[in-house]
Amino acid sequence: GNDMIIKAFVREIRSPIVLKAPVQSIELTNAGVNIVYQHQGERKKIAVDYVFNSIPTHFMPAIPNNLPQDYRDGLAALRPGNFFKIGLQMKERFWEKEGIYGGITQTNQPINQIWYPSHGIHSKKGVVLSAYAFYTECEFFEKMTPDERILFAGQCGDKVHAEYSTSIEAGVSVPWGRINHMMGCGTAWSAGMPWEVGSSALRDQYYELLQQPAGGRHFMIGDQISYHSSWQEGALGSAEFALLELDRRVRAESGESRKG
């Protein structure tokens, strides 16, 4: 799955990767950035030249920092999104008996949508995306236990397919709004969905500012700082933009030109 991308990066990074280390404060200095973080019950500090920060922007106002005020205003202007999904493994691909090969069924139920797999055609089993809820729709499922969510999704699916709930073997639900250190999914500049770019005075005011490093040292990155919020395309594009900008700045300081 997509986690293979992360594992590939981990294989290539030589310096130690510290996990489960929530950031406690961010301090810009003339020479770099000081980061205080919590790890294994201790507060630790690291001084670095540059920072690439992918913390969800809606957490940043609560993290002590000395970032410029207009930069902080821009971070606070971004609104957290929220999504919810359920995946169900089916013991047989009953939808193919009905002539359905991939695609989506739109419903007027809380599950919103049912997505059918576009791979493994005519194999024995398959995984169906049995619920895809957005923003306030997610609250309905967040109040349930995981087992209750799967049971409810099966009941909704029975209204579309006769063999739906009786074909369920296993399931998993992901309520991004209840995941620690995320508490949501994606960002938006207005009340619309993250991918509904449209016109936004807030984006026009802050987007380019947030793409630039605060104090020349602190880069905010991730799909949240892109035109493709909630998509890996946005996350990778944001990281590439920041890396190229860092490369340009370091080369300018050293007087080295870029070749090739």
Side-chain angles (χ1 to χ4, degrees):
N2 290 331
D3 59 341
M4 293 295 104
I5 297 175
I6 299 171
K7 292 178 180 179
F9 276 115
V10 170
R11 287 197 304 267
E12 299 300 323
I13 296 175
R14 298 179 183 178
S15 57
I17 298 175
V18 181
L19 303 176
K20 300 181 180 180
V23 172
Q24 303 289 297
S25 68
I26 300 170
E27 179 190 17
L28 288 174
T29 69
N30 292 332
V33 188
N34 293 331
I35 303 294
V36 175
Y37 61 96
Q38 189 89 4
H39 187 239
Q40 295 181 343
E42 297 181 14
R43 285 173 64 88
K44 300 182 180 181
K45 178 180 176 180
I46 182 172
V48 297
D49 296 326
Y50 299 94
V51 163
F52 280 16
N53 180 355
S54 62
I55 294 173
T57 53
H58 52 277
F59 288 148
M60 286 299 295
I63 298 176
N65 66 78
N66 66 341
L67 300 174
Q69 185 60 51
D70 58 348
Y71 195 87
R72 285 185 283 171
D73 291 342
L75 293 175
L78 278 165
R79 304 179 184 185
N82 196 12
F83 295 90
F84 172 81
K85 288 184 178 181
I86 297 177
L88 296 177
Q89 177 175 297
M90 302 296 188
K91 61 185 178 183
E92 64 174 325
R93 301 169 74 93
F94 56 83
W95 54 92
E96 291 177 357
K97 298 178 184 177
E98 303 174 30
I100 298 174
Y101 297 91
I104 302 172
T105 291
Q106 304 282 356
T107 83
N108 59 0
Q109 303 178 84
I111 59 170
N112 199 19
Q113 300 174 340
I114 297 174
W115 291 37
Y116 309 94
S118 56
H119 62 282
I121 303 299
H122 294 307
S123 57
K124 182 177 180 180
K125 302 180 181 183
V127 176
V128 172
L129 178 65
S130 64
Y132 194 175
F134 311 132
Y135 279 45
T136 55
E137 295 175 348
C138 304
E139 298 172 4
F140 177 83
F141 292 100
E142 289 173 352
K143 298 173 183 178
M144 297 180 177
T145 67
D147 287 343
E148 287 172 341
R149 294 170 191 153
I150 293 171
L151 177 62
F152 181 82
Q155 294 170 345
C156 292
D158 282 339
K159 298 178 182 179
V160 182
H161 302 283
E163 300 178 61
Y164 201 92
S165 62
T166 57
S167 298
I168 297 173
E169 280 192 330
V172 61
S173 60
V174 182
W176 276 274
R178 290 184 58 183
I179 295 179
N180 286 340
H181 313 297
M182 290 186 64
M183 304 301 290
C185 181
T187 55
W189 292 104
S190 61
M193 296 296 181
W195 54 80
E196 295 174 353
V197 176
S199 175
S200 168
L202 288 173
R203 186 183 62 250
D204 294 341
Q205 181 179 357
Y206 292 117
Y207 182 75
E208 291 187 3
L209 172 67
L210 294 180
Q211 280 198 315
Q212 300 302 314
R217 300 286 181 174
H218 175 278
F219 291 84
M220 204 73 201
I221 63 170
D223 64 284
Q224 55 192 353
I225 309 296
S226 79
Y227 274 92
H228 301 282
S229 179
S230 306
W231 296 89
Q232 288 196 19
E233 176 187 359
L236 294 173
S238 170
E240 181 181 28
F241 180 91
L243 282 168
L244 290 173
E245 179 62 18
L246 173 62
D247 179 78
R248 185 190 68 78
R249 288 172 178 265
V250 172
R251 289 180 185 277
E253 292 175 2
S254 64
E256 180 183 353
S257 61
R258 185 175 179 84
K259 300 178 182 179

